[in-house]
Amino acid sequence: MVELGPELRRRRESAGYSLDKMAKLAHFTKGYLSKAENGRVQVNRALAAAYDRVLEADGELIAIADDQPARRKPRGLIGLPAHTPHFVGRSAELNDLEVVLSDRQSTKVCVVSGLAGAGKTALAVAAARASSDNFPDGCLFFDLRGHSLGMHEQTPAETAYHLLQSLDTTQDLIPADPDGRANLLRDTLRNREVLIVLDNVRHADQVRPLLPADGRSRVIITSRWRLPSLDDAWHVDVGALPPAEALRLFQSLMRGTTAVDDSDAAAIVEQCGRIPLAIRIAAARILRGGWSPGKFLQRLADRSTKLAHLEESERGMTTALADSCDALPPDQRQLLGLMSLHPGTSLPVQSVQAVTGLDPGTTDLLLDRLHEACLVSRSEDERIHLHDLVHTYAAHYLLPAEPVARQAFDRLMEHHLAASIAADELLEPDRHRPEARASLHSEPPFEDATGALEWMRSQWPTLVRLTDLVLDQRCWQLALAVRGFFFREKLYDAWIRMHLAALTSAADDPAAKGRVLNGLGMARLELGQVAESADCHERAHMWFTEAGDPRGAVDALASLAWARMHRGEAREALVGFASALTEYRRTGRDRNAVITQRGMAFALACLDQFDEARVHATAARELASAPIDVVRGLTCLAWVEYRAAELTSARRLYTEAVDLAELADNGYEQARALTGLGNVAERTGDHVEAAQWWLLAAEHYADLNPVVVWEAKARADLTAK
């Protein structure tokens, strides 16, 4: 078979035409004709027809062109890094990237952003490899060194030069100026199908000139910044791995060794924050660093040593986070440091306002910049989330010196104290509370009782930890402000922990010690620790008496009466209740009087004095103003009727209590009344109905304590027969 390129040259030279003259007559460039004649490009039919016309070959050259076999286009360069066998999970993110890369009509750029060490590069490479068959002109990878410590950050012009070289552009055709290179790159990509991974990008201007304007080429960008100004890009956020995937990564890295049991492995990946880089370092140190899993886990669990043990000579979380944080302006670094004063990693934006002491607008602006840097994340519920490793790093390296840090913590503490007092007042407006003055230092975190309850439910772990950090009156003031919420939600362990810390802080204030001991005694009683409860209330009465606080003293006596009643001392309890009720009526403390009358009704029911018990239970129900006190009054009266064997009346009252407890959104009281309905059914011989009521009660609250909940004790007695 005749090779067409050399044949064109032979016939041109035989006709005596120079290459210049042939170019003019055929209307092609001289350079292109040279490449065609020398076999560097395939001769197409149009060029063969032009030669045939100029050289008067009578169609011979066209025929030769038609007989030429199609030249197979060479596969483009595949320059992607090696695939890691330890890449696990990220199926949702991979799917998003693959869908975007396969869509040849719209999005041309994907931005993969996230915290240092989150596995952005591994994800980008995995997505590029999965999509490489869709890009016959090559898959290229370039590290722009935007976050490589001590290395020169690559400029757009430098990257364009390397890209053009990889796309077979001869060096003498690459312009020297940045704009010229960018123009040539875009023009080159317009006719190619290339996938380019631009890794380690610091800012959008580093890549903007390199992005294809049209055509079928695509770009994946990885960055520790969200790069929001790349409006047309598809953005994929990469966070911590889900627990199961983090554990799979660790187990994969451990190569099947049984040196780490499943519970330790799960704890290690959690202490690593489920960040792939941290997990890789932990696995390497256990495998090759001589560490036992248990001892290494102890080091990770200690915040003072965690980061040091996630560091190696060539990689580390401290190094990675330092590079991210060092790129921040001073005001953003200080904000991140101040946020680490908060004991939690999920902060309402109002808490951030308080700790900074800045106005809301300035705080929002700084938080937005930290969000862009992937060092915090901001959610629609106005919460700011710090990854645990970022929180630990900020506390170690970004915390301002005294007195700035102390002033910031004082604002944070005062904010939570003020918010807790405000929430308590909204949730229990009729309850007496000692005076405590505090400022929010922020916008109000809630506006009504519903918002106050939501705030308490989200913030109570923070409030508990805050009481561990202060030793002054703010500690016991905070504990007292949260006590009502803990009683409502039955958070006994937190209640006791907070009050024990508060007791230490109230050491020099007898009245404060009395209040804290009274609250602690209530928690002990709810747990069925009757003797401990009585001891707390007796000590509280002693301290109130020493402080000359008659109001506190009568509260301690009333609370002691509840403990005595549940200790089986109903007559003694009745004396205490009667004394307290007289004082409450005299001083106009109506809600305390209602609560005490319920206690008297229960004590009288214990003594089988049902008529007098009904009087007090009925009064407690009728005089109650708070909805939850109405529910408790109904349940109290229902119990009296149950004890008096008036089961029809008991059923009616328990049913009414169930409905009102549902309206009050109190599962505990619903469970109590539902248990009472089960007891009534059991006593009437309907075992199936009883079981149904009891099952429904357990769905609302499964752990009613038979030591202090009469209905739970009655059920236990019925089922024991």
Side-chain angles (χ1 to χ4, degrees):
M1 179 180 293
V2 177
E3 289 189 39
L4 186 53
E7 181 65 15
L8 294 180
R9 180 177 181 178
R10 186 186 67 78
R11 294 200 181 203
R12 173 181 61 78
E13 291 176 345
S14 296
Y17 291 146
S18 68
L19 202 56
D20 283 335
K21 184 175 181 180
M22 193 65 192
K24 292 176 182 178
L25 293 173
H27 305 296
F28 283 87
T29 66
K30 176 182 175 181
Y32 182 71
L33 294 186
S34 176
K35 291 178 181 179
E37 290 182 356
N38 289 292
R40 291 164 58 194
V41 297
Q42 186 171 12
V43 179
N44 57 38
R45 197 172 191 278
L47 180 60
Y51 268 74
D52 196 274
R53 173 179 54 79
V54 172
L55 299 176
E56 298 178 353
D58 297 327
E60 292 180 7
L61 296 176
I62 295 175
I64 295 173
D66 289 341
D67 288 339
Q68 296 291 303
R71 181 182 295 179
R72 183 176 180 182
K73 187 177 182 180
R75 183 69 169 87
L77 177 66
I78 303 295
L80 298 173
H83 172 70
T84 171
H86 304 299
F87 181 82
V88 300
R90 304 294 192 198
S91 56
E93 295 91 338
L94 271 175
N95 182 67
D96 283 350
L97 289 170
E98 290 177 26
V99 168
V100 173
L101 293 174
S102 66
D103 179 6
R104 298 308 184 88
Q105 303 302 318
S106 54
T107 305
K108 294 177 173 56
V109 179
C110 299
V111 175
V112 178
S113 60
L115 182 66
K120 302 177 292 296
T121 301
L123 173 62
V125 170
R129 286 191 167 276
S131 302
S132 60
D133 288 345
N134 296 326
F135 298 93
D137 293 320
C139 297
L140 307 177
F141 180 94
F142 290 90
D143 182 357
L144 272 58
R145 301 194 293 269
H147 294 282
S148 298
L149 194 64
M151 296 185 68
H152 164 69
E153 178 184 316
Q154 195 158 281
T155 67
E158 291 170 332
T159 307
Y161 179 85
H162 296 309
L163 276 168
L164 287 166
Q165 279 194 320
S166 298
L167 295 170
D168 295 327
T169 306
T170 56
Q171 185 168 338
D172 58 341
L173 294 178
I174 300 176
D177 65 291
D179 287 344
R181 290 181 182 180
N183 285 327
L184 180 58
L185 177 62
R186 284 191 290 268
D187 182 67
T188 303
L189 292 176
R190 183 168 58 86
N191 297 311
R192 305 283 186 95
E193 294 181 80
V194 182
L195 176 58
I196 303 169
V197 179
L198 300 177
D199 188 46
N200 215 356
V201 173
R202 184 177 286 271
H203 50 82
D205 288 342
Q206 195 179 8
V207 295
R208 202 187 307 276
L210 311 175
L211 306 181
D214 48 61
R216 298 168 69 86
S217 292
R218 297 291 181 265
V219 176
I220 303 176
I221 295 168
T222 74
S223 179
R224 297 182 191 177
W225 301 73
R226 298 184 196 273
L227 308 182
S229 64
L230 295 178
D231 304 300
D232 297 331
W234 182 270
H235 291 261
V236 177
D237 294 331
V238 180
L241 287 167
E245 293 180 2
L247 185 57
R248 280 176 52 208
L249 172 60
F250 181 78
Q251 291 169 336
S252 172
L253 292 162
M254 295 300 292
R255 293 174 169 80
T257 178
T258 58
V260 186
D261 62 39
D262 289 345
S263 61
D264 279 352
I268 287 169
V269 299
E270 283 299 320
Q271 289 296 335
C272 291
R274 307 198 306 275
I275 293 296
L277 175 59
I279 294 170
R280 288 174 176 274
I281 293 171
R285 298 200 68 179
I286 293 171
L287 273 177
R288 292 177 289 279
W291 281 91
S292 70
K295 193 65 175 180
F296 193 74
L297 180 56
Q298 288 180 18
R299 292 289 191 263
L300 292 183
D302 185 342
R303 296 185 72 85
S304 67
T305 57
K306 180 193 291 280
L307 288 175
H309 287 76
L310 294 175
E311 198 75 14
E312 294 178 325
S313 59
E314 296 181 354
R315 59 182 178 175
M317 285 306 305
T318 299
T319 303
L321 291 171
D323 189 59
S324 295
C325 294
D326 288 349
L328 299 173
D331 54 353
Q332 294 176 34
R333 283 201 303 273
Q334 175 161 306
L335 173 57
L336 200 57
L338 291 176
M339 289 170 67
S340 72
L341 291 169
H342 192 285
T345 56
S346 180
L347 294 68
V349 70
Q350 294 86 359
S351 296
V352 183
Q353 293 168 7
V355 78
T356 62
L358 299 173
D359 63 87
T362 302
T363 304
D364 284 343
L365 181 62
L366 293 174
L367 287 173
D368 286 346
R369 299 293 84 80
L370 291 176
H371 177 78
E372 287 180 22
C374 295
L375 290 167
V376 307
S377 60
R378 188 168 195 157
S379 54
E380 293 181 359
D381 60 355
E382 293 199 341
R383 298 185 69 80
I384 308 301
H385 308 277
L386 285 83
H387 189 277
D388 180 64
L389 295 179
V390 175
H391 189 282
T392 303
Y393 177 87
H396 274 74
Y397 299 105
L398 302 180
L399 195 62
E402 297 288 356
V404 175
R406 170 50 55 186
Q407 292 168 352
F409 179 80
D410 287 344
R411 288 193 301 269
L412 181 69
M413 184 69 194
E414 192 173 356
H415 165 81
H416 284 88
L417 176 58
S420 298
I421 293 171
D424 188 42
E425 290 174 346
L426 285 168
L427 293 172
E428 294 197 46
D430 298 326
R431 187 165 68 82
H432 171 73
R433 50 187 57 82
E435 182 180 358
R437 296 180 180 178
S439 173
L440 283 172
H441 298 288
S442 72
E443 297 175 302
F446 45 80
E447 297 178 353
D448 53 24
T450 300
L453 184 57
E454 291 176 355
W455 185 87
M456 279 286 202
R457 283 173 172 167
S458 69
Q459 290 301 293
W460 70 262
T462 294
L463 303 178
V464 172
R465 289 196 286 268
L466 282 172
T467 56
D468 293 334
L469 301 176
V470 291
L471 296 174
D472 55 34
Q473 66 178 7
R474 295 173 299 180
C475 177
W476 62 260
Q477 288 173 342
L478 184 58
L480 295 181
V482 182
R483 190 198 72 195
F485 168 76
F486 283 159
F487 177 78
R488 173 196 171 91
E489 302 291 302
K490 309 305 176 188
L491 297 169
Y492 302 123
D493 290 342
W495 182 350
I496 289 174
R497 173 181 166 183
M498 207 167 183
H499 275 61
L500 288 175
L503 195 58
T504 301
S505 71
D508 298 327
D509 187 332
K513 277 197 288 190
R515 296 186 187 103
V516 173
L517 281 166
N518 229 26
L520 187 59
M522 293 175 188
R524 298 291 190 195
L525 186 63
E526 289 292 309
L527 285 171
Q529 300 170 2
V530 180
E532 294 88 341
S533 172
D535 177 68
C536 286
H537 294 309
E538 288 170 351
R539 290 160 59 201
H541 184 265
M542 177 190 71
W543 288 115
F544 280 129
T545 302
E546 179 177 316
D549 185 347
R551 184 186 191 107
V554 71
D555 288 341
L557 287 176
S559 297
L560 179 59
W562 284 91
R564 283 177 169 170
M565 177 177 63
H566 288 293
R567 195 162 60 184
E569 302 169 3
R571 294 189 185 280
E572 293 83 351
L574 198 58
V575 172
F577 282 134
S579 176
L581 181 60
T582 299
E583 186 62 20
Y584 287 145
R585 284 172 170 169
R586 185 186 69 81
T587 55
R589 297 175 64 185
D590 296 336
R591 185 165 189 247
N592 294 84
V594 165
I595 295 170
T596 302
Q597 285 193 284
R598 290 202 304 267
M600 294 185 73
F602 285 130
L604 288 163
C606 290
L607 298 171
D608 294 338
Q609 298 178 26
F610 301 121
D611 289 340
E612 193 174 351
R614 287 188 185 97
V615 171
H616 287 287
T618 300
R621 181 188 65 172
E622 293 177 348
L623 295 174
S625 57
I628 195 61
D629 283 332
V630 175
V631 174
R632 291 168 182 151
L634 283 167
T635 305
C636 176
L637 185 55
W639 172 251
V640 172
E641 298 293 6
Y642 176 86
R643 287 275 291 128
E646 298 291 341
L647 300 183
T648 300
S649 179
R651 182 192 298 271
R652 174 180 57 79
L653 290 164
Y654 276 133
T655 301
E656 189 177 350
V658 168
D659 294 339
L660 289 179
E662 183 176 6
L663 291 175
D665 187 28
N666 194 302
Y668 180 89
E669 295 299 335
Q670 278 183 276
R672 183 169 188 167
L674 288 165
T675 301
L677 286 172
N679 296 343
V680 170
E682 182 70 15
R683 280 186 67 176
T684 58
D686 195 333
H687 308 302
V688 173
E689 182 185 354
Q692 291 173 340
W693 286 123
W694 290 335
L695 180 62
L696 190 58
E699 291 176 359
H700 287 84
Y701 192 88
D703 298 315
L704 294 177
N705 192 333
V707 176
V708 291
V709 179
W710 302 112
E711 288 78 9
K713 184 177 186 304
R715 177 189 171 181
D717 291 342
L718 288 168
T719 54
K721 293 179 179 178

